[in-house]
Amino acid sequence: MLVTMPSQRQVLSIILALLTALLTITSLQHMTGNRGIDDIVLSPALHATLPGDRKERPIYKPPPSYTPPPIQDPFPLLQTTTKLPPIPPWNVPKRNLHKTYNLPVAPPLLIGFTRAWPLLLQAVTSYITAGWPASQIYVVENTGVQQANARNQLTLQNPFYLNHTQLKVLGVNIIQTPALLSFAQLQNFYLSLTYTHNWPYFFWSHMDVLAFSYENGHGDNLEPKYNQEGYKTLYELSLAALQEARETDPRWGLRFFAYDHLALVNPLAYEDVGGWDTMIPYYNTDCDMHTRLTMRGWSIKDARAGIIADVSSALTDLRALYRIDGVVPDFVDPNPPPREKGGRKVKRGVEEKVMVGRDENDPWRRRHLPRVQVPSSNSTSPNPNPRPRRSTEGGEPDPDPELSKFRRLEETAYAMDRYKHTGERERYVWQMGQRGGQGEPFYYNAQGLQDAIEIMIETGRKIYRHKWGHRDCDLIDGAKVGFDDQWLVEKDYFAPLGD
């Protein structure tokens, strides 16, 4: 029998067909979590949807292997009284202080909220006790639950829970978004508020922060201590930074206080670049926005007004911020990791610095905290009680009990910051501390919400890459692109299949 050998072109066609099939299988594995082709065709979930199949129930995911304990309200006093403890007298804001700095409008402070009520309540209380007027703080409820929180229809374990009554006791304002917004959409919502309220500028803050004034002084800026002449609170130093920007920089765009944990915004700059790109909803959207501002000649500078700690945990009793006698600063993780078998319970607070690690050269500490003596692991921690404390040597009373209380708070804030940024856990696991709310209005599965946001994050990163043809934030120096190059340049990196 005569056998005809395939031509060179036919061989090439066969090879290309095999490569195409291999790439197709690889793509299917990538989209389905790297399962084999047999799993794709024969998985029980797909079988359950075949016509004539006897199975009537869907195949459910296994339940979570670990559920965090219920969160606790960190300010139970607000549940029983409408009378707040007094703000430390040296931090009480002066009336119409903004006029002293030639500002036509008292600047608002916007704090967005979606999940984790204890951290929001902590952030708001810390700003108030640091001297920011409560009447100028606006909590922006970005939960998507419409009037459910205002009607008190949600419970504490619901991720979207927010207590309007307690916020009103604190004296702050509440603004609700019409729907659940992404980070970029929320920023544009802030811009829309400037039109409604005729704000020529505004501050905004993350909700996972602890804010303090420089009550212990600050050497870099030669800021005096709380009881010395010339002491200025976090709020007053923020006003000074705003005045300087307005009077010395006609193209001021942003002022960062510990990056954007607290930020000052010029709405005219946002307008000029077209606002935040809502197609990039979360990560990389700040790279996009800040670079476009720079491309258009708007300045972005660092400023310093106080201590802004980036935290994932909450003080167990927020009365500590008011310096109430006998209240010891201590903190709890709203979503603690599972305890290992045989592991001991770790006491949180100042002592935790030994557990999470301590670096005197830590850049966050160098930027924001004056150097404070910290007890060694084998010494007793400083007594936070404001009563006179006897030393072991001469029996002298504590010369400044108020400063001792602040130092204890300051060190606890540092421990909380280190707890968030050290270890193997993701920085944002605190957002998963509440897993309840089933059956309540506008209920959404907590894990499903997190999964959906992560999908949006990855999609936003892909959009960013396509928009600029570049992966990283160095669009100006690295990609050499300009403001008008958006969506017009080819990729400058190797793009894997599907990118």
Side-chain angles (χ1 to χ4, degrees):
M1 182 174 61
L2 180 63
V3 179
T4 304
M5 296 298 293
S7 66
Q8 187 175 2
R9 179 176 295 179
Q10 289 175 323
V11 171
L12 182 60
S13 298
I14 293 171
I15 293 174
L16 289 175
L18 290 173
L19 288 174
T20 301
L22 181 61
L23 288 172
T24 301
I25 293 173
T26 303
S27 179
L28 285 171
Q29 289 176 329
H30 176 73
M31 291 186 293
T32 55
N34 293 321
R35 292 178 294 171
I37 190 66
D38 292 339
D39 295 323
I40 297 171
V41 176
L42 303 175
S43 67
L46 289 178
H47 264 294
T49 63
L50 293 176
D53 196 282
R54 294 182 180 180
K55 294 184 178 181
E56 299 178 357
R57 294 180 65 254
I59 305 300
Y60 289 101
K61 300 175 183 178
S65 59
Y66 169 73
T67 300
I71 65 166
Q72 304 297 318
D73 193 314
F75 208 166
L77 179 66
L78 292 181
Q79 300 177 10
T80 59
T81 182
T82 58
K83 185 177 181 181
L84 292 170
I87 296 172
W90 49 90
N91 286 341
V92 174
K94 302 171 185 175
R95 184 177 178 84
N96 292 324
L97 184 60
H98 65 283
K99 295 181 179 179
T100 305
Y101 291 89
N102 298 321
L103 300 174
V105 176
L109 171 60
L110 309 180
I111 305 176
F113 168 82
T114 297
R115 296 179 284 177
W117 162 249
L119 268 69
L120 172 76
L121 187 58
Q122 173 175 259
V124 170
T125 305
S126 71
Y127 274 111
I128 293 173
T129 54
W132 207 289
S135 61
Q136 292 167 223
I137 296 176
Y138 292 76
V139 171
V140 181
E141 183 191 344
N142 178 41
T143 60
V145 301
Q146 303 299 326
Q147 297 301 309
N149 277 317
R151 295 170 181 165
N152 198 27
Q153 294 176 312
L154 305 187
T155 56
L156 181 60
Q157 303 311 317
N158 190 314
F160 295 132
Y161 172 84
L162 180 142
N163 194 310
H164 281 233
T165 301
Q166 292 189 16
L167 290 177
K168 290 176 181 177
V169 171
L170 288 171
V172 303
N173 308 278
I174 305 172
I175 297 176
Q176 295 169 283
T177 60
L180 177 59
L181 306 178
S182 70
F183 177 82
Q185 290 171 329
L186 183 63
Q187 291 294 324
N188 283 343
F189 182 74
Y190 291 168
L191 179 60
S192 75
L193 293 176
T194 67
Y195 309 134
T196 303
H197 298 275
N198 293 317
W199 292 331
Y201 36 71
F202 67 90
F203 289 85
W204 74 273
S205 171
H206 286 265
M207 54 163 282
D208 52 334
V209 301
L210 256 176
F212 301 99
S213 294
Y214 288 131
E215 297 181 33
N216 194 27
H218 199 288
D220 290 353
N221 284 348
L222 301 178
E223 293 296 333
K225 296 181 180 180
Y226 80 99
N227 56 358
Q228 295 175 339
E229 185 178 356
Y231 168 74
K232 293 182 176 64
T233 65
L234 166 69
Y235 175 62
E236 189 164 1
L237 289 175
S238 298
L239 296 181
L242 173 55
Q243 180 190 32
E244 181 183 19
R246 284 167 51 85
E247 295 181 355
T248 65
D249 187 354
R251 295 285 290 181
W252 78 272
L254 293 172
R255 294 296 181 266
F256 286 148
F257 305 81
Y259 188 52
D260 66 357
H261 295 106
L262 173 64
L264 169 62
V265 178
N266 182 354
L268 295 178
Y270 276 17
E271 282 187 355
D272 183 60
V273 300
W276 290 71
D277 188 341
T278 55
M279 299 301 172
I280 310 174
Y282 294 99
Y283 290 97
N284 282 96
T285 196
D286 56 345
C287 293
D288 173 83
M289 180 59 166
H290 300 157
T291 303
R292 286 187 289 121
L293 287 169
T294 301
M295 290 172 173
R296 293 285 293 174
W298 296 97
S299 68
I300 302 175
K301 297 180 181 180
D302 291 324
R304 183 174 285 164
I307 299 169
I308 310 293
D310 179 22
V311 301
S312 62
S313 47
L315 293 168
T316 55
D317 190 342
L318 294 181
R319 293 182 304 163
L321 296 172
Y322 291 90
R323 324 300 157 83
I324 299 300
D325 291 1
V327 178
V328 179
D330 190 18
F331 68 94
V332 62
D333 187 341
N335 184 19
R339 191 183 305 179
E340 296 181 2
K341 291 183 179 181
R344 63 181 181 85
K345 182 178 179 181
V346 178
K347 182 179 179 181
R348 307 206 191 287
V350 174
E351 293 81 1
E352 186 170 57
K353 289 190 296 298
V354 177
M355 183 194 76
V356 301
R358 178 176 178 81
D359 181 5
E360 292 293 342
N361 295 316
D362 179 76
W364 182 87
R365 183 176 180 84
R366 291 203 310 271
R367 288 197 308 270
H368 304 289
L369 288 181
R371 295 184 64 84
V372 177
Q373 183 178 357
V374 180
S376 62
S377 58
N378 60 355
S379 67
T380 57
S381 59
N383 186 355
N385 197 308
R387 298 171 191 163
R389 176 170 55 90
R390 299 287 177 179
S391 68
T392 54
E393 289 91 2
E396 299 281 335
D398 188 343
D400 195 339
E402 295 298 339
L403 188 57
S404 294
K405 284 188 287 183
F406 174 76
R407 284 173 172 166
R408 178 77 180 204
L409 269 174
E410 184 182 49
E411 282 300 311
T412 303
Y414 172 70
M416 294 165 74
D417 185 278
R418 293 289 294 170
Y419 180 77
K420 180 175 184 177
H421 292 274
T422 56
E424 298 179 355
R425 305 184 78 204
E426 294 290 338
R427 290 179 57 221
Y428 296 104
V429 293
W430 57 268
Q431 295 173 335
M432 290 293 294
Q434 293 155 286
R435 308 287 181 96
Q438 291 83 349
E440 297 174 4
F442 297 94
Y443 169 74
Y444 203 102
N445 179 275
Q447 185 61 56
L449 176 64
Q450 184 64 28
D451 291 347
I453 289 176
E454 290 175 0
I455 293 171
M456 293 174 68
I457 288 172
E458 193 53 45
T459 301
R461 285 172 169 154
K462 181 176 180 179
I463 292 172
Y464 174 87
R465 296 194 297 269
H466 281 249
K467 178 179 181 178
W468 294 106
H470 193 68
R471 282 179 169 175
D472 301 320
C473 281
D474 60 336
L475 296 177
I476 298 175
D477 296 332
K480 309 298 184 184
V481 294
F483 185 83
D484 295 326
D485 291 329
Q486 302 170 61
W487 292 104
L488 298 180
V489 298
E490 294 286 354
K491 300 182 183 70
D492 65 358
Y493 60 93
F494 175 76
L497 184 67
D499 185 82

